[in-house]
Amino acid sequence: MFIHSISAFEEEFKTESSSTLKVFRALTDASLAHEVAPGYRTLGELAWHIVTTYHEMLSRTGLRFDSADEHSAQPQTAQELVRAYEQAAQAASEAVRTQWTDSSLVEVSDMYGESWPNGLTLHVLINHEVHHRAQMTILMRQAGLKVPGVYGPSKEEWEAMGQ
């Protein structure tokens, strides 16, 4: 898969980041420490990984923007994670919109020892976020949180509607 235009990226990114924000906003401070098993990422660590991947991945393409990176300390509260996500997502989107044109999407960057067109990198960035967001929803349910619907109503939302 490949993103062929900045406008296509903006449209998909807006949808997916909005869904991720719904998931982040359902977190509680106490839930951040929940993990599926010892040695696996906690809910807080998964959320922070999503936040820091924007800078980590997109800086490899030459995009420049201010955002938390993989060396930044993880916030301690759910609200701080929400703010960090909002800032990172906005900065990344703005960097793509202002520093690239549609022709930039076919330019190739070194990504983890491979050569990826920038349009592929944007696609992978979005899929990476969706993947970890899905992991978060499982941990959220295990932690007793209500999971917000992403691509439709969640089980909890269906129940609230009497279904």
Side-chain angles (χ1 to χ4, degrees):
M1 197 68 181
F2 187 90
I3 293 180
H4 296 280
S5 70
I6 301 299
S7 63
F9 166 74
E10 289 180 313
E11 186 176 323
E12 184 173 0
F13 186 77
K14 181 180 177 182
T15 299
E16 295 303 339
S17 63
S18 174
S19 293
T20 299
L21 195 52
K22 284 172 46 177
V23 170
F24 271 51
R25 286 182 174 147
L27 297 172
T28 63
D29 293 349
S31 73
L32 300 180
H34 186 78
E35 61 186 348
V36 67
Y40 289 86
R41 284 183 176 148
T42 65
L43 256 173
E45 289 168 341
L46 279 170
W48 191 235
H49 176 63
I50 290 171
V51 170
T52 61
T53 295
Y54 284 118
H55 189 273
E56 188 277 325
M57 187 178 283
L58 293 180
S59 67
R60 294 171 181 269
T61 68
L63 286 174
R64 299 288 168 242
F65 57 97
D66 289 329
S67 180
D69 64 25
E70 67 273 19
H71 305 294
S72 301
Q74 179 182 322
Q76 298 303 304
T77 70
Q79 186 56 43
E80 290 170 326
L81 279 168
V82 167
R83 282 193 299 270
Y85 177 79
E86 289 173 320
Q87 189 278 325
Q90 178 183 4
S93 179
E94 184 176 321
V96 169
R97 183 171 67 286
T98 61
Q99 296 174 39
W100 282 353
T101 64
D102 289 350
S103 63
S104 303
L105 300 177
V106 296
E107 294 173 8
V108 174
S109 298
D110 178 9
M111 296 297 291
Y112 315 104
E114 298 180 2
S115 295
W116 294 4
N118 291 335
L120 174 63
T121 299
L122 293 178
H123 174 74
V124 170
L125 177 74
I126 291 169
N127 281 350
H128 173 269
E129 182 165 324
V130 170
H131 162 72
H132 288 302
R133 183 178 70 213
Q135 290 177 321
M136 288 177 66
T137 63
I138 300 301
L139 291 178
M140 290 169 70
R141 192 160 277 132
Q142 290 176 338
L145 299 179
K146 290 183 179 180
V147 175
V150 174
Y151 297 120
S154 66
K155 180 180 188 299
E156 294 85 352
E157 290 169 339
W158 275 116
E159 288 173 351
M161 293 185 283
Q163 300 291 327

